[in-house]
Amino acid sequence: MGQTCNGCGVCCAWAPCPLGMLVSGKRQGACRALQWQADAGLYRCGMVAAPQQVLRWLPGPAAKLLSRLARRWISAASGCDANLAVAPG
């Protein structure tokens, strides 16, 4: 907690943030916008990385703007705020 995001995806897999709630239409469970980025080996928010993959109806020009807004709304790059412990499965 408080460290730079390591892309583990635990926070978004546990519950969507307020933006994820709008996108996913739910308050619990994995966020629909959570995306695995194989080339980087980590999870990222699709609303930041690729909004048109999450919201297929989104026009191209709006995708760039939404990506910037999403980065701000989820407070990207401000550090991990997930106070969660992952139990070995």
Side-chain angles (χ1 to χ4, degrees):
M1 186 146 161
Q3 300 296 314
T4 303
C5 176
N6 65 6
C8 71
V10 171
C11 54
C12 301
W14 181 69
C17 69
L19 177 58
M21 286 181 200
L22 290 172
V23 171
S24 296
K26 59 184 181 178
R27 296 174 153 245
Q28 297 176 335
C31 179
R32 186 171 82 99
L34 181 61
Q35 295 181 341
W36 174 250
Q37 297 196 337
D39 58 327
L42 44 75
Y43 285 95
R44 287 289 180 228
C45 175
M47 295 304 293
V48 173
Q52 284 184 299
Q53 289 180 6
V54 180
L55 303 174
R56 299 208 183 271
W57 52 264
L58 190 66
K64 214 174 211 179
L65 175 62
L66 184 55
S67 176
R68 284 196 309 258
L69 288 172
R71 186 179 314 275
R72 184 172 181 181
W73 289 337
I74 68 170
S75 195
S78 65
C80 179
D81 66 350
N83 191 13
L84 303 167
V86 179

